[in-house]
Each structure stands twice: as structure tokens, then as C-alpha cells.
Amino acid sequence: MAAANPWDPASSQTAAGLLLSHLVASGIVTKEMLDVSKKMAPCFVNFSRLQQISDIQAEIYQNNLELELLKLEKDTADLIHPSHLIEKCDVLQSMNNHLEAVLKEKHAIRQRLLRPMCQENLPLEAVYHRCVVHMLDLAVTFIEKFETHLETVKNSPHLDANLKQMSKALAKMDILVNKTEELAENILKWRELQTEISLYIPKMLTEERHLHELDIVPPLPFFPKAHTETSRAK
């Protein structure tokens, strides 16, 4: 419950209230002056804001502490949470029962291990025969490719170097292909020149024979430009 304002004349008649009523009645203090005096000074407003900020910071700090506790509980849940502890206890109990069964049959197991396994068939239910056949096929395939797998594993650290060598080899192959194409073009040109020359030689021999029959000195043989270039190339 809010306390009565001693500066308010309408509040309960205290000594301060009676004094203020007397001052207002005498005209020394006006009601407007009393209203102005009831307003909070700026400094008190800042103090209240600082108090609110400190309260909010304290609340944030408390929330951060609770969040850290929740994270810690989550990280250690597998150690201290009852459900995880129960699950681990069940696993340990199962292992313990298995070990107890092994210890009970220790003598029989030892005798069975001492006997050779040669030319004996392991009992297997008919339901699993198909699975065993498939497993044997997979085992044979794995054994056949075992050496290849080992080589792949051994070469895996050198994979980058092998890729670089392959890139260089491909670049050399591109250069050789370009040179082969140029050589093929030159061979085709040479064949065309040889064809032109083979066509010109019979014609030249015919003219020479005709001139010889006429007892005329034959002129110097004229070869086409392509034949001359071929001769120079030779």
C-alpha cells in the first residue's frame, strides 16, 4: 500500500499537512507550487534507471549461471543421469551373465578347443544356408581383389603426385597429336605434288620423243613450281 504524501493537503491531516493548509490559506504558498514540488528531480530519475539496469544485469547473470548449469548437466548426462546409468548397469549385467556361463562351461569349452576342426561341419540352420552361400561369394570376390585393394591403399598417399604425372602425360599427348596432324597434312601435300609430277613426266617424255624425231634440240625441261619446291625440299 502506498504511503500518504505529506505534501498533499488532501491527505490525512498530519502536522505537515496542517502546516501546508495554513500556508495555502494565507497565500504564502500556492497550489501550483505544491504541484511543481511533487515532480521528481532528474537526478532521482537517473538513480532509478541505474537501479533498473543493475537489476537487469543481475537477472542476466543469474540466467547465465542457470544456462551453464544446464550445459554441464547435458554434458555429464551419460555419467549421472539415472536412465543412462540404468542402461549401463543392464549392459554390465548382461556381460556378467555371459562370463558366468562361460566359466560354468569352462571345462567343456577347453576340451572343444583342444579338438581339431579338420573335416568337421559346423551346425547351421537351414534358414541361414542362403546367406552363407552369398557370404562365401563375397569372400571369394574380396580375396581376388585383395592385392588390388592393398595397392590402392599403398598408393593413396602418392595420389597427388600421380595426378600431376598424368596431367603432364596428357599435355605431352596433346602436343604429339598436334605434331601428328601437321605431319599428316605434309604427307598429303607431298602426295599431291608426287601426283602432279607423275602426270607431267609422260607428257614431257612424249614431247621429247616428238622433238627427237624432228631432229630438234629439245629445250630444257620445265617443271612446275610444285615439283621445283619438292626437289629443293629433298
Side-chain angles (χ1 to χ4, degrees):
M1 183 175 178
N5 189 357
W7 302 102
D8 188 3
S11 61
S12 59
Q13 295 296 325
T14 60
L18 293 173
L19 178 61
L20 289 175
S21 299
H22 180 69
L23 292 175
V24 171
S26 62
I28 298 174
V29 178
T30 62
K31 191 174 181 180
E32 288 78 8
M33 294 173 65
L34 292 177
D35 293 338
V36 171
S37 64
K38 287 193 294 183
K39 295 181 179 179
M40 189 177 293
C43 61
F44 294 105
V45 174
N46 293 332
F47 285 147
S48 64
R49 289 179 180 174
L50 289 175
Q51 184 64 33
Q52 291 177 357
I53 291 171
S54 62
D55 294 340
I56 292 171
Q57 289 178 348
E59 185 178 358
I60 292 171
Y61 179 73
Q62 184 66 26
N63 292 334
N64 289 333
L65 287 178
E66 293 177 358
L67 183 62
E68 291 293 332
L69 290 175
L70 291 174
K71 288 182 178 179
L72 182 62
E73 183 179 357
K74 181 181 178 182
D75 294 337
T76 58
D78 57 341
L79 298 176
I80 61 175
H81 202 275
S83 61
H84 294 283
L85 292 177
I86 292 172
E87 184 179 355
K88 289 185 176 182
C89 289
D90 293 338
V91 173
L92 290 174
Q93 186 64 34
S94 176
M95 293 176 62
N96 188 23
N97 294 334
H98 180 70
L99 291 175
E100 287 180 355
V102 171
L103 290 175
K104 287 179 181 179
E105 302 292 335
K106 180 175 65 174
H107 181 71
I109 293 173
R110 183 178 296 173
Q111 294 297 327
R112 183 68 184 87
L113 292 174
L114 291 175
R115 284 187 300 172
M117 298 288 292
C118 181
Q119 295 180 354
E120 291 189 4
N121 297 323
L122 295 176
L124 186 66
E125 297 180 8
V127 181
Y128 303 109
H129 287 181
R130 185 176 179 181
C131 299
V132 170
V133 172
H134 181 63
M135 184 183 67
L136 290 175
D137 292 338
L138 293 177
V140 170
T141 305
F142 177 78
I143 293 170
E144 289 177 351
K145 298 182 179 180
F146 185 68
E147 294 294 334
T148 306
H149 295 331
L150 285 179
E151 290 295 330
T152 304
V153 172
K154 290 179 181 178
N155 294 330
S156 58
H158 308 289
L159 186 60
D160 294 335
N162 293 335
L163 288 175
K164 290 180 180 178
Q165 292 178 359
M166 289 178 63
S167 300
K168 293 179 180 178
L170 288 174
K172 291 180 180 179
M173 287 180 64
D174 291 336
I175 294 172
L176 292 175
V177 168
N178 294 329
K179 291 183 177 180
T180 305
E181 290 177 354
E182 293 178 359
L183 182 60
E185 292 178 357
N186 293 332
I187 290 172
L188 291 176
K189 292 179 180 179
W190 180 80
R191 285 183 178 179
E192 291 177 357
L193 293 176
Q194 291 297 323
T195 304
E196 292 179 0
I197 293 172
S198 62
L199 292 175
Y200 181 76
I201 288 175
K203 183 179 178 182
M204 184 184 66
L205 292 175
T206 304
E207 291 179 354
E208 184 178 356
R209 191 181 301 111
H210 180 67
L211 294 175
H212 182 69
E213 291 175 355
L214 297 175
D215 293 331
I216 300 174
V217 178
L220 292 173
F222 171 74
F223 296 100
K225 183 178 180 181
H227 177 64
T228 307
E229 291 178 353
T230 306
S231 302
R232 292 177 180 175
K234 292 179 178 179

